[in-house]
Every structure is written in structure tokens, then in C-alpha cells.
Amino acid sequence: MAARLLVMPGDGIGPEITAATLRVLEAASAAHGLGLEFEEAPVGLAALAAEGTTLPAATMARARQADGLVLGPLDTYAYPPRAEGGINASAAFRTGLDLHANIRPARTRPGLPAPCGRAFDLVVMRENTEGFYADRNMHDGPGEMLVTEDVAIALRRITRAASTRIAEAAFALAATRPAAKVTAVHKANVLAKSDGLFLDCCRAVAARHPGIAYDEVIVDAMAAHLVRRPEAFDVVVTTNMYGDILSDQASEMSGGLGLAASLNCSETQAMAQAQHGAAPDIAGRGIANPASLIGSAAMLLRWLAPRRGAPELAAAGAAIEDALDAALADPATRTADLGGRTGTMDFAAALAARLGG
């Protein structure tokens, strides 16, 4: 059976880069005989205007039934309070579908100058369902509170189960990569209990994988090491907030957030999602770089391949990534954020042409 993907365009530039991503997926589907099927569901500000909530119950129900999800950026800063319908759909999918692993690759590309001036290829494996993020670390209600008008408190949740499974995911990924190395990033010198528990879990998993190199780096030192020697790292495993920050840093160093692919996944479901935000300031102008969401969709196809016994899905994902490399290496097909003049849909058309569609 063909894979059925649920597409949610989101806010700001979301509809534009989602349309571009669909153009590329359709070309890859035709070229590789995938027979992909696409359905669209509302989220974000359009859903709020039409249904009174940024995440309609019907959209969540359809997400549970889909083979894979493609989510456009969300302008959560513009949402009303949750009681008035403002739900962060990204967080809701991550917790509601238990998409515990956020895989964020960052690599320099041939022919595209990198801001850091050094070649590197790493992946941040970010725990996705707990940590300091107040919208996903409590069973009921937010994980932060205003004690008085002058005192705010935020709670952090770190569990053995979540820490162990993200560490297992990191070591499984490292086993497929040439460097075969995992670096655990933490702040256990200050957060001794919570990051201490996270490190205990990482060390236990490391002991079960003696063939994979393992080390640990404090998070502030890691930010500096990424600038100085990014090539020293392979798979970086860490908690939610650290992973969010460090992956953005690594992606910007590799060429920009517009290139930053991201996959949220569990063992049974996955969601492609651009690493960047909704960029409402350039929405509707047709100049947004769709590479991040396109690369995320390629990751989704690769994730689907072994689960559906369909190597052609993996081949299509690899072909999309190759087409991205080729288009980005050519100044004539770069978007405005990379110093070029190619528009959103023209960039997608260039990729589709390289795919044969």
C-alpha cells in the first residue's frame, strides 16, 4: 500500500514552503514509483479562525492514523492563551504521539560556503517530550507558574525512561555512521540531580555498546567547541532545551537555518518539520527557502523505508538530498537567504527537474 502523508501547512511562510515540499515529493514519488498519497489538515492561525482552536481534534485524530506527517512552521507567539484555543500543535504532536526523538542533522555541503569555514557532519539527537519545556513536562497544566507578580518558577522533568530511550536512539544512529561516536551534553555540575540522572542513563547505554566511542561535554563548553572544532563531533545526545539551542547553532554554522532538516519520531510514527520558525515578516512574498522542510521530508521517506519494507522510499529520500546538494551548490538556484535570487517555488521546480519530474 502507498504511504499516506498528512500535510499541515501551518503559519507564516508555512503554506509556501509546504507547497514547495509537496512539489518535490510528487516528483520523487513519480520518479521512484512510490505512489505517495497526500491529505491536508488545518493547524495554526487558519484553524483558529475557522474552528476556534489552532489544533482541531479532527486534525489530531487524522494524525494518529497517517503513515507520516509533514508540519509547516507555527507562529506560536501570535497564538492566544491555551484556554482561548492557542495550542502549540508541534508540542501536542510530540507528546500526544510520543515522538520522543528529534533528529537534527547539521552538515556542510559541497559548493556552498559555510559561515564557520570548516567542513563537518554531525547529528543532534534531542529528547523531545520533557525537560524544561513547560508545555510538555506535566500531566495536567503547564510546568511553570507565577507565584506572585514578581516571582516565576519553572519545573524541569527528566525521567529514566525518556533518557534511556533517547540514548539508545543516539547509539543506534551512531552505529550506522563512519565515526561511530556519541557525545552526551549536560550541565550536571549545576543540575546534579536531573542531568546526573540523564548521564547515568547515557553511561548505562554506552556500556552496552562498547564498539561506539562515548564522551561527555558540559553544555556551555559544547557551544564553544562547536565553533572551534565542529568536525570533532558525530552524534550529540542531549535533553530538550540544550538540543534545541545547540542544533540551531550547528545548523547556522553549516549554512543557515533555512537548510536545517528535522525529524520527530518514535518507533511507529514520524513527523517532518522545518527546524526554523514561521517568519511572518516575509510570508506571502515567495522568497522563503524551503530546503529545511524538503530535507525533513526526505528524512521522513528514509524513516518510512524499513518500516514498510520499501527500499524505494530510502532511494527517493537519498535522491532528494542529492538534488538539494546540487541545487545549493549552484549560485543560480540559491534562495535570497543564501545570496541568490531564486524564489520558493522555482527552487522546488529546480529540485523536481533534477529528480526527473
Side-chain angles (χ1 to χ4, degrees):
M1 293 179 62
R4 184 167 50 88
L5 304 184
L6 185 67
V7 180
M8 297 163 284
D11 304 318
I13 61 172
E16 297 163 72
I17 66 170
T18 301
T21 300
L22 286 178
R23 175 73 178 86
V24 174
L25 284 173
E26 288 164 352
S29 182
H32 293 267
L34 306 181
L36 293 177
E37 298 177 0
F38 305 101
E39 300 177 6
E40 187 171 317
V43 294
L45 294 171
L48 181 68
E51 304 190 38
T53 175
T54 55
L55 179 57
T59 296
M60 178 60 88
R62 292 172 67 185
R64 294 184 187 280
Q65 299 301 316
D67 296 313
L69 311 178
V70 178
L71 177 64
L74 303 173
D75 189 8
T76 54
Y77 275 127
Y79 291 2
R82 186 181 184 91
E84 299 173 18
I87 299 170
N88 182 342
S90 175
F93 289 133
R94 293 175 183 185
T95 55
L97 305 179
D98 197 28
L99 306 178
H100 64 88
N102 185 198
I103 306 170
R104 293 185 164 188
R107 64 179 176 89
T108 51
R109 297 172 184 266
L112 181 66
C116 68
R118 305 172 75 97
F120 67 91
D121 181 353
L122 62 84
V123 180
V124 175
M125 183 70 73
R126 169 195 177 198
E127 204 293 316
N128 219 13
T129 62
E130 55 180 28
F132 263 128
Y133 280 55
D135 60 0
R136 69 201 70 171
N137 65 8
M138 301 288 283
H139 174 69
D140 187 17
E144 63 177 357
M145 61 211 74
L146 201 60
V147 180
T148 74
E149 62 180 10
D150 300 315
V151 179
I153 293 177
L155 302 177
R156 185 187 200 216
R157 184 183 73 180
I158 300 293
T159 63
R160 189 176 302 278
S163 298
T164 298
R165 67 180 179 175
I166 198 64
E168 289 283 11
F171 277 86
L173 177 60
T176 69
R177 292 169 58 85
K181 178 183 177 182
V182 172
T183 299
V185 175
H186 65 95
K187 190 66 175 175
N189 57 323
V190 173
L191 298 168
K193 300 297 185 184
S194 54
D195 270 353
L197 175 58
F198 173 74
L199 285 182
D200 286 347
C201 297
C202 290
R203 291 165 184 167
V205 173
R208 298 196 290 270
H209 296 82
I212 296 176
Y214 172 73
D215 64 358
E216 299 169 357
V217 180
I218 293 173
V219 63
D220 40 330
M222 184 65 182
H225 290 320
L226 276 179
V227 174
R228 184 182 307 147
R229 52 187 188 99
E231 69 279 3
F233 301 100
D234 182 31
V235 177
V236 177
V237 62
T238 191
T239 53
N240 203 337
M241 181 177 288
Y242 304 158
D244 198 1
I245 295 168
L246 292 174
S247 59
D248 278 10
Q249 179 186 351
S251 293
E252 191 64 29
M253 290 170 56
S254 72
L257 282 177
L259 309 179
S262 174
L263 188 73
N264 304 274
C265 62
S266 66
E267 288 72 28
T268 58
Q269 254 181 321
M271 177 174 73
Q273 181 181 20
Q275 194 170 314
H276 57 72
D281 56 317
I282 61 169
R285 296 170 58 188
I287 62 172
N289 185 348
S292 176
L293 191 58
I294 292 170
S296 302
M299 292 179 69
L300 177 60
L301 296 184
R302 285 176 173 263
W303 180 91
L304 282 167
R307 290 160 178 83
R308 301 183 67 83
E312 61 272 19
L313 285 165
I320 292 173
E321 291 168 357
D322 289 344
L324 276 169
D325 280 348
L328 293 168
D330 183 356
T333 48
R334 291 178 189 161
T335 48
D337 58 315
L338 300 175
R341 297 184 177 180
T342 301
T344 306
M345 291 308 297
D346 286 340
F347 182 84
L351 264 63
R354 293 180 183 277
L355 293 166

